[in-house]
Amino acid sequence: MRVSRFLLSTVRETPAEAETISHQLMLRAGMIRKLAAGIYTWLPLGLRVLRKVEKIVREEMNRAGAQEVLMPAIQPAELWQESGRWDQYGPELLRLTDRHKRDFCFGPTHEEVITDLIRREIKSYRQLPANFYQIQMKFRDEIRPRFGVMRAREFLMKDAYSFHIDAASLEETYQQMHAAYSQIFQRVGLEFRPVAADTGSIGGSKSHEFHVLADSGEDAIAICSKCQYAANVELAQALPPMGKRAAPGKPMQTLDTPGQHSIEQVSKFLKVDPKQTLKTLLVKGTGGVIALVLRGDHELNEIKAAKLPQVVKPLVFVTPGEVELAAGCEPGSIGPVGLKIPVIADESAARLADFVCGANVSGKHLINVNWGRDAAEPIVMDIRKVVDGDPCPDASASQCSGVLSIRRGIEVGHIFQLGTKYSEAMQATVLDEAGQNVVMPMGCYGIGVSRVVAAAIEQNHDTNGILWPDSIAPFHLALVPIGYRKSAAVRETIDRLYAELTQAGFEVLLDDRDERPGVIFADMDLTGIPHRLVLGEKGLAKGMIEYKGRRDKQVRELPLEKILETMRENIKL
RNA sequence: CGGGGUGUAGCUCAGCCUGGUAGAGCACUUGCUUCGGGAGCAAGGGGCCGGAGGUUCAAAUCCUCUCACCCCGACCA
């Protein structure tokens, strides 16, 4: 491709609307343009990258035995009413009405459509298992689209749905998809982790997210320093502390702590380590208000708490007025001593002795408090978020001695074992060996294709621009002539090189613009083309051409006649 | 949906407080010079100052309403 015939719409200044690096660089490099909030046009340069990601995904899905289909983007309301999601889904579902006043939605996902298709087409266990996928634009009316295509409303997604005769078959396909996803992200060239995840609103039993590790990621994940354990912080188990609770030492005492509410304030005021304090949170329970008690330096994991049978879901904190009623004080002074409501303590909190907590009197705290002696023994559960340095909870046979660190991740893939949630509601059944109707267990597997592009940039950039992995670069190679319009010798040589390299299967961008070299270099760096050849008259006279990898610091001089050979060594097609 | 902010040239922004002929840099067009890391000079083109009402002799500027976009929060496959 010649730049003179290619829409290379680079921008020197950083657009004000872009906050994250990937969003800024995608706009500056001329990959995308915004049409409306969360809705983007892919320009030629960006589309080349998107198509490459798509190609890798398609190849690996095919290799894993999945069959490609293409379902409608617009779906009739009836199907969603049948699964019950027409009412459940809420405003994120873009609803439409046609000229006959029939209700439709723009599909945010396709469980209903595929289940409807399969219940009509598949009738025998002999046709199972079967896995169908598509790569298609989805629309979810996000409350707050942001970060460009990272969290867009319209986005390209690969979604796959598998159907089975039993749970064992589902597990098998699930593992295949797990492997295929790992292969996909490896081929794209990203640092990623499969992460045990909460199944959330989509339902089902088992689920893994695939995260690209990047500091700008929106999700917190806990990963082990030694083993492959990785879990969403919402799900990561906090192991109970080692050893037994120490025996009570000193007698309990009440101290005035005027105006000291937060753990930070109280621990500073009383000169104690936050680890030696308790924080008490009051939430709505199924039978009235419940106290959740954590160690001062820990945070409540709301997902874990909401799963407790005593707690109403979703988790609701009580109002200051209700705190007053239940504890007899302001929210900053609650403690478990003398509370007449059920107390659920985190394992770490339950292990403390001689600790500090609120006195249930505004402006007062207790010191040297002990469970059993001063406060009733609590119900003990794991309700906190894991923190840096917690021991790895890996449950596998070999005891892992690693510690967890909290990293940020960008969710680029998610696989679920759905079970029979949709097939049951929509009566998707087949006949088994015995001629009995069986509801098919299902799996579903998503990859945010457009998000992968943004995630790749988050992980691969420098001050000059993007650093594409070879696998998804828009072009393999930039050919930069110095003085293309001035020097016939340079022009003829570079044109010949362009033809040869293109012939050899490389995707080459020849910058034949009448621009100053500085402009060309800046653009080639910004767009992130991984390999660059520069030819000027001086080099040509010596029969030499300059080569530089986008990540290299130094330029290398190569003999002209060795170019093809060297590029073949450097660039994997 | 709550809180905060911004809408002026293709882009980044100044002008608004204190009303009086709409600006800069970059980009674009033309010419000359320049030509190995975002050139210089000169001459140009380009605006319903987001939209609608109002106040005023006069509104980008003041007032009211509205729309869009951005940030924080809640929410989230």
Side-chain angles (χ1 to χ4, degrees):
Chain A
M1 185 60 69
R2 288 167 183 269
V3 176
S4 58
R5 291 194 293 146
F6 188 79
L7 185 66
L8 189 70
S9 265
T10 55
V11 178
R12 190 180 308 193
E13 285 176 279
T14 303
E17 69 185 43
E19 206 195 356
T20 51
I21 299 279
S22 61
H23 190 192
Q24 291 171 0
L25 289 176
M26 288 181 82
L27 289 169
R28 286 192 51 209
M31 293 179 65
I32 54 167
R33 289 292 181 258
K34 186 173 74 175
L35 181 64
I39 301 178
Y40 291 85
T41 296
W42 289 79
L43 305 187
L45 188 81
L47 187 60
R48 293 182 72 100
V49 178
L50 189 67
R51 291 287 185 239
K52 291 220 172 158
V53 177
E54 213 178 294
K55 181 162 179 277
I56 292 172
V57 170
R58 185 171 277 121
E59 285 173 3
E60 294 304 326
M61 290 303 291
N62 290 342
R63 196 196 306 276
Q67 308 173 61
E68 186 166 7
V69 294
L70 184 57
M71 293 182 263
I74 304 287
Q75 308 177 14
E78 283 78 8
L79 281 182
W80 285 70
Q81 283 154 354
E82 200 179 340
S83 72
R85 287 208 292 184
W86 185 257
D87 296 320
Q88 286 168 18
Y89 219 86
E92 203 178 311
L93 184 65
L94 181 66
R95 292 156 213 258
L96 313 160
T97 309
D98 74 3
R99 63 166 72 191
H100 304 293
K101 302 270 184 287
R102 286 191 285 249
D103 288 325
F104 290 84
C105 63
F106 195 115
T109 176
H110 281 70
E111 282 83 4
E112 282 82 359
V113 179
I114 193 73
T115 306
D116 176 63
L117 178 77
I118 295 310
R119 70 180 166 183
R120 295 166 195 272
E121 307 298 330
I122 291 191
K123 298 174 171 85
S124 161
Y125 73 97
R126 293 171 191 272
Q127 297 169 281
L128 299 179
N131 193 0
F132 302 91
Y133 77 98
Q134 62 174 349
I135 298 176
Q136 186 212 32
M137 279 294 178
K138 297 274 191 282
F139 192 95
R140 296 183 191 173
D141 201 352
E142 293 278 348
I143 298 172
R144 185 145 89 88
R146 56 186 136 175
F147 309 148
V149 299
M150 187 84 85
R151 181 172 288 275
R153 293 195 292 173
E154 187 182 280
F155 59 100
L156 192 68
M157 181 172 180
K158 186 286 298 176
D159 49 326
Y161 308 89
S162 69
F163 294 84
H164 307 272
I165 189 66
D166 58 24
S169 165
L170 169 57
E171 174 67 21
E172 197 178 320
T173 297
Y174 185 84
Q175 291 308 334
Q176 280 168 8
M177 285 293 104
H178 192 289
Y181 273 39
S182 299
Q183 182 66 20
I184 286 167
F185 298 121
Q186 211 151 11
R187 273 187 67 187
V188 172
L190 300 175
E191 194 194 349
F192 71 97
R193 285 292 178 103
V195 167
D198 192 56
T199 48
S201 56
I202 200 158
S205 49
K206 192 169 178 182
S207 166
H208 282 84
E209 294 168 349
F210 284 75
H211 282 264
V212 168
L213 300 179
D215 293 338
S216 57
E218 292 188 82
D219 295 300
I221 55 183
I223 66 180
C224 176
S225 58
K226 284 210 175 148
C227 72
Q228 282 303 302
Y229 179 86
N232 197 303
V233 163
E234 307 291 4
L235 202 69
Q237 185 194 355
L239 290 181
M242 308 291 274
K244 287 192 165 180
R245 184 198 293 159
K250 303 165 192 162
M252 185 169 84
Q253 217 183 324
T254 306
L255 293 179
D256 284 328
T257 52
Q260 313 296 312
H261 300 296
S262 68
I263 291 295
E264 201 184 337
Q265 290 167 340
V266 171
S267 54
K268 207 169 266 177
F269 185 81
L270 296 176
K271 297 191 173 60
V272 295
D273 190 331
K275 288 183 175 158
Q276 208 45 43
T277 67
L278 287 192
K279 73 171 84 166
T280 306
L281 308 166
L282 301 189
V283 299
K284 295 213 166 122
T286 44
V289 178
I290 290 183
L292 300 178
V293 177
L294 294 154
R295 217 169 70 184
D297 58 319
H298 286 150
E299 271 185 71
L300 178 68
N301 183 323
E302 300 193 15
I303 303 280
K304 288 180 185 173
K307 282 183 183 158
L308 298 175
Q310 299 94 328
V311 173
V312 297
K313 334 182 219 289
L315 192 78
V316 186
F317 289 96
V318 303
T319 62
E322 290 168 308
V323 169
E324 191 82 41
L325 275 178
C329 66
E330 292 167 9
S333 302
I334 319 170
V337 178
L339 270 190
K340 294 192 176 61
I341 55 177
V343 174
I344 299 175
D346 183 69
E347 282 155 336
S348 311
R351 196 60 58 94
L352 290 180
D354 292 329
F355 53 82
V356 173
C357 66
N360 296 325
V361 178
S362 295
K364 289 184 191 298
H365 279 78
L366 302 172
I367 61 168
N368 303 326
V369 185
N370 285 278
W371 296 110
R373 187 189 71 181
D374 312 311
E377 288 289 353
I379 305 164
V380 180
M381 305 293 294
D382 170 21
I383 54 170
R384 71 176 173 94
K385 282 188 188 164
V386 294
V387 295
D388 260 314
D390 271 341
C392 173
D394 185 22
S396 65
S398 58
Q399 280 291 37
C400 177
S401 57
V403 293
L404 297 180
S405 63
I406 310 296
R407 296 278 302 267
R408 307 295 300 180
I410 299 165
E411 184 189 347
V412 290
H414 204 158
I415 58 178
F416 295 86
Q417 291 192 13
L418 286 177
T420 55
K421 178 173 172 177
Y422 298 92
S423 43
E424 178 92 60
M426 299 180 66
Q427 280 305 297
T429 62
V430 288
L431 293 181
D432 69 8
E433 247 171 308
Q436 298 295 308
N437 264 315
V438 176
V439 176
M440 291 178 279
M442 293 170 59
C444 81
Y445 320 93
I447 288 180
V449 178
S450 42
R451 183 181 281 185
V452 167
V453 175
I457 297 173
E458 288 294 332
Q459 220 175 56
N460 298 282
H461 61 85
D462 67 10
T463 51
N464 292 327
I466 302 168
L467 302 164
W468 290 117
D470 283 6
S471 62
I472 59 169
F475 295 93
H476 296 122
L477 188 56
L479 262 188
V480 181
I482 304 294
Y484 187 80
R485 308 281 165 116
K486 305 290 184 322
S487 163
V490 167
R491 185 165 62 245
E492 278 158 22
T493 309
I494 208 94
D495 280 349
R496 182 173 51 77
L497 272 178
Y498 175 68
E500 284 174 11
L501 289 161
T502 304
Q503 188 63 37
F506 295 109
E507 293 166 353
V508 184
L509 186 66
L510 167 59
D511 201 332
D512 57 347
R513 290 177 295 177
D514 189 18
E515 282 289 357
R516 305 169 68 80
V519 172
I520 295 179
F521 291 144
D523 275 350
M524 294 304 108
D525 284 350
L526 176 59
T527 51
I529 299 175
H531 305 273
R532 187 184 80 187
L533 289 169
V534 179
L535 182 70
E537 275 197 308
K538 276 179 262 172
L540 185 55
K542 293 184 289 177
M544 303 295 270
I545 190 166
E546 283 171 23
Y547 166 77
K548 182 176 170 295
R550 176 66 177 81
R551 293 166 191 263
D552 298 344
K553 293 216 170 60
Q554 295 294 323
V555 175
R556 273 197 285 157
E557 289 228 309
L558 302 172
L560 265 170
E561 63 274 11
K562 286 213 163 174
I563 285 304
L564 256 179
E565 191 185 321
T566 314
M567 291 306 106
R568 283 203 176 105
E569 284 164 16
N570 275 269
I571 307 171
K572 286 192 199 90
L573 289 182

